[in-house]
């Protein structure tokens, strides 16, 4: 059929790849640290850059204000009315680059460095999520350049608050449900198993994130004058945090595992066949051994089991030298990763009850929920998943693995529950990409294959009818 010929598009992607790299570098130069108010203007500049780029390739694109960072929304309606309708989602915000001293080159001055898989692009946001979102932007551009129009209807939603839990996203989705509803939501914000090991993510953990604040004395006290006779909030905080896990490493909140669904034996068997290099995975993290629940492989623990981590802790004196003081306050940030069918709101209640039963009455405390996202499972029988499998198989020369993901993308649950749509998670990141860490990178080989995969997926998806 004319107009769905993919070969010339793939050739155009290859020819245009150096320019695709240039455009990604341009986007990476914008320090869109969404969580830091000092970077608000720069973050908005990333949104504007995307609107301009999408307009340049023929999309009806606009910037939509929210109480936080603006949404980028775009449409292309040139395809036949009975063609499938895809909604592409991504985020243009990036994590703060701290600790700055550990970067080998400045985080917002992208550099191309030679690595074992060829050249790689090093910059904050290289893989999460600017490099990955550009895989489909570039594929759409190549398709339009070659064929004049896309073979499917396309809508685009790119937010600027994913790294700070997407607070304004759900209200926006609800308010614009008619405009945004499509047949499936396509997301590139996850990983694969290796440069030549394609994967489709079918399980994503959810998240419940909190800050716990404790208050003991009314002010910092002399630890000699008062020590031994007054409560120390750091001690209380450490005790409750330590009690979150039992001796076997299981989470101790009553009821926490009640809704946890055991992994389907068929999926377990499939995951056991994945050639996962546990030693290499740990090495990329600077570790030599794993921890966690007994009787489960590392992949099972990461992808199908919940966990709880303290992400930060502070209180008292932490400066140079010594200061004999009993602090007035102590606090910690902690996150739970959740699996089907756990509910973040319910976990919040369980945590509240757990703390209420343990923190003594003379220590005041407050628990602030900072971000919630439900876990998600992608149905593996959909025609879109089958189309993605064929597209990846064509580009990589091998069948993609169906994998899980330990991270969270809160939008997937909102899109499912608010718009009734499933997501298709086609990720091109690697375990050693240093997501959220200093020297974040994206392999150019992954970028190239990502663009090719999205181009091939457009052709495959065009064949799907009602
Ligand atoms: N792209 C990541 C999710 C991810 C992480 C996928 C690792 C694959 C591997 C996403 O941008 C992210 O960081 N999500 C946050 C969500 C949180 C801020 C609500 C996460 O998982 O911590
Ligand atoms: Mn991301
Ligand atoms: Mn992230």
């Amino acid at each position: 059929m004319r107009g769905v010929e993919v070969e010339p598009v793939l050739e155009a992607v290859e020819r245009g790849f150096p320019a695709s790299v240039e455009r990604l570098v341009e986007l990476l130069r914008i320090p869109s640290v969404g969580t830091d108010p000092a970077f608000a203007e720069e973050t908005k500049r990333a949104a504007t850059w995307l609107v301009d780029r999408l307009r340049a390739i023929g999309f009806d694109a606009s910037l939509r204000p929210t109480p936080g960072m603006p949404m980028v929304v775009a449409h292309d309606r040139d395809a036949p009315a009975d063609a499938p309708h895809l909604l592409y989602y991504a985020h243009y915000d990036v994590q703060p680059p701290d600790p700055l001293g550990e970067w080998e080159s400045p985080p917002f001055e992208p550099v191309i460095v030679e690595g074992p898989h060829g050249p790689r692009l090093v910059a904050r946001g290289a893989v999460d999520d600017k490099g990955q979102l550009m895989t489909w932007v570039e594929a759409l551009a190549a398709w339009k350049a070659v064929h004049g129009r896309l073979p499917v209807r396309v809508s685009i939603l790119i937010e600027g608050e994913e790294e700070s839990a997407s607070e304004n996203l759900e209200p926006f989705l609800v308010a614009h449900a008619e405009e945004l509803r499509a047949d499936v939501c396509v997301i590139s914000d996850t990983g694969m198993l290796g440069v030549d090991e394609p994967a489709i993510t079918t399980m994503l953990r959810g998240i419940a994130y909190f800050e716990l604040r404790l208050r003991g004395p009314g002010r910092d006290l002399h630890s000699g004058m008062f020590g031994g006779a007054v409560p120390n909030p750091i001690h209380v905080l450490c005790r409750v945090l330590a009690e979150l896990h039992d001796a076997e490493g299981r989470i101790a909140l009553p009821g926490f595992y009640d809704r946890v669904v055991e992994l389907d034996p068929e999926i377990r068997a499939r995951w056991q066949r994945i050639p996962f290099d546990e030693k290499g995975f740990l090495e990329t993290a600077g570790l030599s051994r794993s921890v966690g629940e007994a009787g489960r492989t590392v992949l099972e623990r990461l992808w199908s089991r919940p966990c709880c981590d303290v992400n930060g802790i502070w209180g008292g004196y932490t400066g140079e030298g010594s200061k004999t003081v009993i602090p007035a306050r102590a606090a910690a940030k902690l996150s739970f990763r959740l699996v089907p069918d756990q509910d973040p709101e319910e976990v919040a209640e369980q945590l509240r009850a757990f703390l209420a039963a343990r923190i003594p009455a003379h220590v005041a405390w407050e628990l602030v929920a900072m971000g919630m996202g439900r876990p998600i499972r992608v149905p593996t029988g959909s025609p879109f998943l089958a189309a993605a499998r064929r597209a990846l198989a064509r580009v990589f020369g091998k069948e993609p693995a169906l994998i899980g993901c330990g991270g969270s993308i809160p939008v997937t649950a909102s899109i499912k529950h608010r718009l009734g749509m499933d997501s298709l998670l086609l990720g091109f990141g690697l375990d050693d990409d240093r997501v959220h860490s200093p020297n974040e990178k994206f392999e150019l080989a992954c970028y190239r294959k990502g663009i090719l995969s999205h181009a091939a997926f457009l052709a495959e998806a065009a064949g799907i009818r009602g």
Side-chain angles (χ1 to χ4, degrees), residues 22 51 53 141 155 193 227-229 240 250 254 298 307 325 329 343 354 357 365 388 415 419 422 449:
E22 280 310 303
V51 168
R53 176 69 190 139
S155 296
L193 295 169
V240 293
R250 285 168 60 91
V298 168
C307 67
V325 73
R329 300 165 199 280
D343 173 358
F354 181 87
W365 61 280
I415 283 194
L419 301 189
D422 284 312
K449 286 201 173 150

Side-chain angles (χ1 to χ4, degrees), residues 91 93-95 128-129 162-163 189 408 435-436:
H91 61 95
D93 59 321
V94 301
Q95 285 277 325
D128 187 13
D129 182 32
E162 197 271 348
E163 301 292 9
D189 195 21
S408 312
V435 179
H436 294 197

Side-chain angles (χ1 to χ4, degrees), residues 70-92:
M71 300 284 173
V72 174
V73 176
H75 302 283
D76 180 290
R77 305 180 179 89
D78 291 346
D82 66 338
H85 185 186
L86 311 180
L87 171 68
Y88 287 82
Y89 161 88
H91 61 95
Y92 61 79

Side-chain angles (χ1 to χ4, degrees), residues 39-74:
F39 288 85
E41 283 315 306
E42 296 288 2
T43 307
K44 287 179 192 152
R45 200 152 66 80
T48 310
W49 188 93
L50 285 163
V51 168
D52 291 347
R53 176 69 190 139
L54 291 169
R55 281 186 185 154
I57 61 174
F59 273 79
D60 170 10
S62 59
L63 208 58
R64 309 287 181 86
T66 77
M69 288 302 147
M71 300 284 173
V72 174
V73 176

Side-chain angles (χ1 to χ4, degrees), residues 105-283:
S105 51
F108 298 106
E109 291 172 31
V111 289
I112 292 175
V113 176
E114 207 53 43
H117 307 300
R120 45 170 67 165
L121 198 44
V122 180
R124 170 56 88 230
V127 63
D128 187 13
D129 182 32
K130 288 172 174 172
Q132 296 223 53
L133 81 86
M134 286 298 280
T135 59
W136 51 258
V137 171
E138 292 295 313
L140 293 167
W143 195 286
K144 285 171 77 93
V146 169
H147 290 302
R149 70 172 192 179
L150 296 173
V152 294
R153 289 177 292 156
V154 169
S155 296
I156 291 174
L157 173 66
I158 313 177
E159 71 159 313
E161 297 181 318
E162 197 271 348
E163 301 292 9
S164 36
S166 305
E167 253 187 56
N168 294 294
L169 185 78
E170 207 165 278
F172 189 86
L173 281 181
V174 173
H176 300 84
E178 284 323 302
E179 181 182 358
L180 297 171
R181 190 171 289 119
D183 298 318
V184 71
C185 178
V186 183
I187 303 177
S188 287
D189 195 21
T190 49
M192 50 184 181
L193 295 169
V195 243
D196 300 313
E197 309 287 337
I200 300 174
T201 298
T202 62
M203 275 176 80
L204 203 56
R205 287 199 289 192
I207 188 164
Y209 197 111
F210 306 93
E211 187 170 309
L212 172 60
R213 303 172 186 154
L214 265 54
R215 169 144 209 141
R219 59 186 161 83
D220 285 8
L221 302 174
H222 189 292
S223 68
M225 279 178 73
F226 291 90
V230 299
N232 182 325
I234 295 184
H235 299 183
V236 176
L237 178 64
C238 290
R239 182 162 351 99
V240 293
L241 292 180
E243 283 173 0
L244 281 170
H245 292 93
D246 70 14
E248 274 75 54
R250 285 168 60 91
I251 292 149
L253 304 187
F256 184 79
Y257 290 93
D258 288 359
R259 287 186 199 277
V260 172
V261 178
E262 264 304 324
L263 188 60
D264 187 317
E266 202 187 304
I267 299 178
R268 172 175 293 119
R270 215 162 56 210
W271 287 359
Q272 276 165 354
R273 286 196 298 272
I274 290 176
F276 176 65
D277 173 12
E278 182 174 325
K279 199 165 159 282
F281 170 77
L282 290 169
E283 270 168 19

